Amino acid sequence: MTQHTRFIDDLKAFLEYKKEEGFQTLEISPETLAQLKSVPAPKPLPKPAQPAVRRAPAAPVNAPGSTVQISGKTLEEIEGQIRTCSACPLHASRINTVPGEGNPNRPDILFIGEDPGADEDAQGRPFVGEAGQLLDKMILAMGYRREELFIANMVKCRPPDNRVPLPEEITACIPYLKAQIALIRPKLIVTLGKTAAEGLLNEKVAITQARGIWKTYEGIDLMPTFHPAYLLRLPNKKREVWADLKAVLAKLGKEPPAKKEEPQQG
Ligand code: URA
């Protein structure tokens, strides 16, 4: 890692932290600006050859803000509708839609993330990248296997350059998630990060203040917590997420499994 990439990573972590806290703008002093300008620029890297990826064919985009009419009566039918959706411009750049996966029959927990990243877009499955590996560890630590629970996202297509989904993209996509929840009937919902909590609760959320405090969605208890991608940048926040997940287990009348003893050597 070069000095430049380390600096960019730290800056990104700081900005994400501020965004999670609810800041929309930041004031930068002239001294800080001067320091920012003094960071050495990286040498340009040679452009990698573009892999031949098959993208979904572009289809006409519906009017902005249009809401999807759910015609599917089963989870499979809804997934089919998602796979051919063109309700917002994100459909044009996706490789795959990512409807969600897991136990559809009243699982203990439905985890809801923001939207697919590059790995999820490539595979059509939620949380399979680095953040997904951390989510898997959290699920295991709670005493579950991933397939016992359900994992979905607020938005079913990857926004370009992993940007946060726009309000009109969330508005267009959210009927799918709501229909999925109505069919899956999870005992509890855990939203991961600010976007998922805001989308489902339909209110502004400062996640650093809202996490750990129970809410309800359509009569289902909902625990907002930090997104695993945020924990990858700020690992010291894992303690707070673990407290939230233990509260989730307690609500389900469960406890985290006892840690296995290390086998004795010799
Ligand atoms: N981040 C998300 O919010 N969802 C995914 O599926 C992967 C990363």
Side-chain angles (χ1 to χ4, degrees):
M1 189 184 266
T2 65
Q3 186 194 352
H4 189 268
T5 52
R6 197 173 315 118
F7 172 79
I8 298 283
D9 274 358
D10 287 350
L11 184 63
K12 263 166 83 180
F14 173 74
L15 291 175
E16 270 171 23
Y17 178 67
K18 287 290 171 194
K19 198 174 86 187
E20 293 278 333
E21 278 188 322
F23 282 83
Q24 302 284 334
T25 55
L26 278 183
E27 275 183 25
I28 300 180
S29 68
E31 295 78 32
T32 310
L33 256 185
Q35 277 176 1
L36 286 172
K37 281 186 186 153
S38 70
V39 177
K43 290 200 186 79
L45 294 171
K47 265 200 166 177
Q50 287 296 312
V53 283
R54 226 168 42 79
R55 296 201 175 276
V61 177
N62 291 351
S66 69
T67 47
V68 163
Q69 297 295 312
I70 302 294
S71 55
K73 300 270 179 293
T74 65
L75 216 50
E76 292 73 25
E77 284 169 1
I78 292 168
E79 286 175 13
Q81 210 185 328
I82 293 171
R83 289 189 210 290
T84 56
C85 181
S86 59
C88 86
L90 295 183
H91 80 276
S93 54
R94 72 184 175 220
I95 298 171
N96 285 296
T97 56
V98 182
E101 65 181 25
N103 169 11
N105 301 311
R106 197 156 167 70
D108 278 2
I109 304 166
L110 164 65
F111 282 101
I112 304 174
E114 183 174 276
D115 51 39
D119 295 310
E120 291 76 19
D121 186 34
Q123 295 186 38
R125 298 181 56 211
F127 282 98
V128 289
E130 217 186 331
Q133 281 159 26
L134 181 53
L135 179 62
D136 286 350
K137 282 189 193 153
M138 286 154 51
I139 289 173
L140 272 179
M142 293 175 84
Y144 292 100
R145 283 172 292 117
R146 182 179 160 113
E147 57 273 21
E148 289 179 281
L149 308 176
F150 204 94
I151 304 176
N153 278 309
M154 188 86 237
V155 167
K156 312 297 189 191
C157 297
R158 181 192 181 203
D161 302 323
N162 293 340
R163 65 159 168 73
V164 176
L166 302 172
E168 55 269 30
E169 292 160 355
I170 295 174
T171 305
C173 209
I174 204 166
Y176 292 125
L177 179 64
K178 290 187 170 178
Q180 287 176 311
I181 296 174
L183 284 168
I184 295 168
R185 298 187 310 116
K187 291 186 192 145
L188 286 177
I189 294 174
V190 176
T191 52
L192 302 167
K194 176 184 170 73
T195 308
E198 283 191 340
L200 216 50
L201 297 171
N202 198 22
E203 63 187 38
K204 279 271 157 225
V205 169
I207 193 69
T208 44
Q209 280 141 47
R211 64 137 281 276
I213 301 173
W214 286 105
K215 296 273 190 175
T216 53
Y217 165 78
E218 296 284 325
I220 306 169
D221 288 312
L222 182 155
M223 172 60 82
T225 195
F226 292 135
H227 194 286
Y230 180 67
L231 300 182
L232 290 173
R233 298 203 168 278
L234 296 172
N236 63 339
K237 296 280 165 191
K238 283 183 189 168
R239 193 189 301 264
E240 286 156 68
V241 172
W242 185 233
D244 300 344
L245 297 180
K246 280 200 291 192
V248 166
L249 284 175
K251 189 75 105 178
L252 291 161
K254 298 191 170 177
E255 279 184 20
K259 281 209 178 124
K260 283 204 188 93
E261 291 282 326
E262 288 289 322
Q264 298 290 314
Q265 293 293 318

